[in-house]
Amino acid sequence: MLGFRAAVALALLIPLAGPPSPALASAPVAACTAPTPSTTQPGYLVADPDCELDGTPFAALPGAQVRTGVIGGAAYRIEVPRKWNGGLVVWAHGYRGTGTTVYVNSPDLRAHYVSRGYAWAASSYATNGYDVGQGVRDSVALIDVFHKVTGSRARQVIMSGASMGGHITAVAIEEHPRAFAGAMPYCGVLGDTALYDYFLDANVTAAALTGADIEFPLQPGADYQQVWRSQVGQIVPKLGLPTGSTPAGRTWSAVLERSSGGDRPGFDSAFAYWNSARSLPPLNDLPFLFGLYPGLQGGTGGIAPGNVTDNRRTFYRSTDRLWPTTEELRLNRDVLRVRRTATADPGLAGIPRVDGNPRVPVLSLHDIGDLFVPFKMEQVYAARAAHNGKSRLFVSRAIRGVGHCDFTAPELTEGFDDLTTWLHTGHRPAGDAILNRRAVAAPTFGCRWTRGTHPGFVAPACP
């Protein structure tokens, strides 16, 4: 902790040289207007960027000025402190379902950015759904929008985003390596289609362990949701959810733990938390992970040109023994096998691929009990970065929480400050050894970077 404080103090002593503060005139707060039809996406509406969805006007923080607007069917917000240091954070929001109204909101670290002298910009994107490509295009476009509306170019641009916005962040810095100086994804989908493989793994192993005869239709019929509901209704009692109180449930918990990141502290509390939670509409009558079965939408992620999931070569484990147990062999014999018909896209179509080949420093945070976008996403990215010889450009920090994007303000601000110190000084900050199985399984894993209490997370106390 003392090292962190010293690094931050050093960063404060070395101001980021840049252009003078943009000449922005203060604008009066306007009355909220109704969403207007998109000029680029038929059937879409664009919400007023000058207001929050609840009708509260969006106003500048003290000592800052804002600009808002709509371009290319996407709403945007920009905020610039009067004592601007020349830096700009482009922030990408997460998944918002498949509704037809797009809206922009402010980043979690808005006040911190401004207090540190950074401007920020955020887009609604022109579409909803899991449309990472559109998110990348609209987010990167904000760099030029910022120049046009402020009259000044940012000297240093940092890309950041949460959840799907983390996927957008990872793709943006690979597609536009010269546009960014660094990146801070958090709770991000850093493993592209590996997320859908995880959803597949969770559901097919639950079915195999309970003897349910399920299918994976590439073109689900109109009645398939109801068929799946009926099957889940048979699976859940046999697993003893939400705690996994039956033998099959205990085995499933062990399989899910390993497919989501490995043996680690607090998993039992995460398992109970997510199996007590309801899934996303229209399947919010099911336990969370069962509403995410890729077979419900042909494995397309709602946007890919085919099924992106595959488990033909996956060997499911419920233990860490050297040799598989009889129970593990039986599970792998009985589990439904699925073959992909599409892959992650090398560009911005479908589900864009994340190569794990950053050209700039990346600092990421992830809850180790997140079973929506699991901690494994960090490990997938770390492994790809290692394969590309880029491990020195990736720092991952484990947080002891069970929720999705469940971070305290000190965790996020410390991460951002350490990233910017890294950019200013070239000194790589510390992280966690997330590819070391023993380190992940240690009772103290996640203690180093967790700041404050995370409700629902139950594990041995940190020293």
Side-chain angles (χ1 to χ4, degrees), residues 284-367:
N284 49 330
D285 54 324
L286 301 182
F288 193 81
L289 284 172
F290 292 99
L292 302 179
Y293 179 46
L296 289 160
Q297 27 77 13
T300 67
I303 194 169
N307 169 40
V308 298
T309 66
D310 197 298
N311 69 341
R312 289 172 296 166
R313 295 182 177 86
T314 302
F315 191 86
Y316 296 104
R317 300 298 308 266
S318 59
T319 72
D320 294 323
R321 297 177 183 177
L322 180 61
W323 300 107
T325 65
T326 299
E327 188 176 37
E328 288 171 333
L329 292 172
R330 185 182 304 114
L331 168 61
N332 283 277
R333 179 199 67 194
D334 295 341
V335 74
L336 176 67
R337 297 294 177 176
V338 176
R339 180 181 66 86
R340 70 171 53 91
T341 62
T343 59
D345 189 85
L348 296 181
I351 299 174
R353 187 174 68 202
V354 176
D355 292 322
N357 189 26
R359 312 291 178 85
V360 297
V362 179
L363 189 149
S364 180
L365 294 82
H366 218 108
D367 291 300

Side-chain angles (χ1 to χ4, degrees), residues 110-428:
R110 175 193 179 189
H112 188 70
Y113 296 152
V114 171
S115 72
R116 288 289 191 265
Y118 285 87
W120 63 267
S123 172
S124 69
Y125 322 145
T127 58
N128 286 321
Y130 203 84
D131 196 346
V132 171
Q134 190 64 48
V136 171
R137 286 187 287 269
D138 290 335
S139 296
V140 173
L142 289 175
I143 300 173
D144 285 336
V145 172
F146 180 88
H147 177 219
K148 290 177 182 177
V149 302
T150 68
S152 298
R153 289 191 182 277
R155 175 184 174 274
Q156 183 185 73
V157 183
I158 296 170
M159 187 73 209
S160 184
S163 193
M164 184 184 84
H167 192 167
I168 290 168
T169 296
V171 173
I173 64 173
E174 292 182 354
E175 288 286 316
H176 303 275
R178 296 183 180 180
F180 299 99
M184 183 176 157
Y186 46 100
C187 51
V189 185
L190 302 184
D192 52 63
T193 58
L195 176 64
Y196 299 93
D197 286 336
Y198 159 73
F199 294 152
L200 175 71
D201 296 340
N203 284 274
V204 296
T205 54
L209 289 167
T210 57
D213 185 17
I214 66 170
E215 58 181 336
F216 191 99
L218 292 179
Q219 295 181 326
D223 64 338
Y224 187 65
Q225 283 191 4
Q226 193 53 45
V227 170
W228 179 246
R229 279 190 176 93
S230 176
Q231 291 175 322
V232 172
Q234 299 172 27
I235 292 170
V236 167
K238 293 179 181 179
L239 293 175
L241 298 184
T243 59
S245 59
T246 65
R250 287 190 287 274
T251 300
W252 189 56
S253 175
V255 171
L256 193 62
E257 183 170 16
R258 282 150 186 81
S259 66
S260 64
D263 181 20
R264 57 197 187 277
F267 184 80
D268 288 346
S269 61
F271 182 84
Y273 173 88
W274 285 101
N275 283 302
S276 298
R278 298 294 90 185
S279 199
L280 306 177
L283 293 164
N284 49 330
D285 54 324
L286 301 182
F288 193 81
L289 284 172
F290 292 99
L292 302 179
Y293 179 46
L296 289 160
Q297 27 77 13
T300 67
I303 194 169
N307 169 40
V308 298
T309 66
D310 197 298
N311 69 341
R312 289 172 296 166
R313 295 182 177 86
T314 302
F315 191 86
Y316 296 104
R317 300 298 308 266
S318 59
T319 72
D320 294 323
R321 297 177 183 177
L322 180 61
W323 300 107
T325 65
T326 299
E327 188 176 37
E328 288 171 333
L329 292 172
R330 185 182 304 114
L331 168 61
N332 283 277
R333 179 199 67 194
D334 295 341
V335 74
L336 176 67
R337 297 294 177 176
V338 176
R339 180 181 66 86
R340 70 171 53 91
T341 62
T343 59
D345 189 85
L348 296 181
I351 299 174
R353 187 174 68 202
V354 176
D355 292 322
N357 189 26
R359 312 291 178 85
V360 297
V362 179
L363 189 149
S364 180
L365 294 82
H366 218 108
D367 291 300
I368 61 176
D370 186 351
L371 296 186
F372 180 13
V373 177
F375 177 68
K376 183 180 180 179
M377 293 294 99
E378 300 285 314
Q379 296 167 326
V380 171
Y381 190 87
R384 292 177 183 178
H387 176 76
N388 291 318
K390 296 297 179 65
S391 292
R392 290 292 301 172
L393 287 175
F394 181 56
V395 169
S396 179
R397 292 180 172 178
I399 304 299
R400 289 163 73 95
V402 300
H404 178 50
C405 304
D406 173 26
F407 305 111
T408 64
E411 289 159 356
L412 291 176
T413 56
E414 182 174 16
F416 181 76
D417 290 345
D418 282 4
L419 172 63
T420 54
T421 298
W422 187 5
L423 300 183
H424 299 164
T425 67
H427 298 306
R428 182 178 183 268

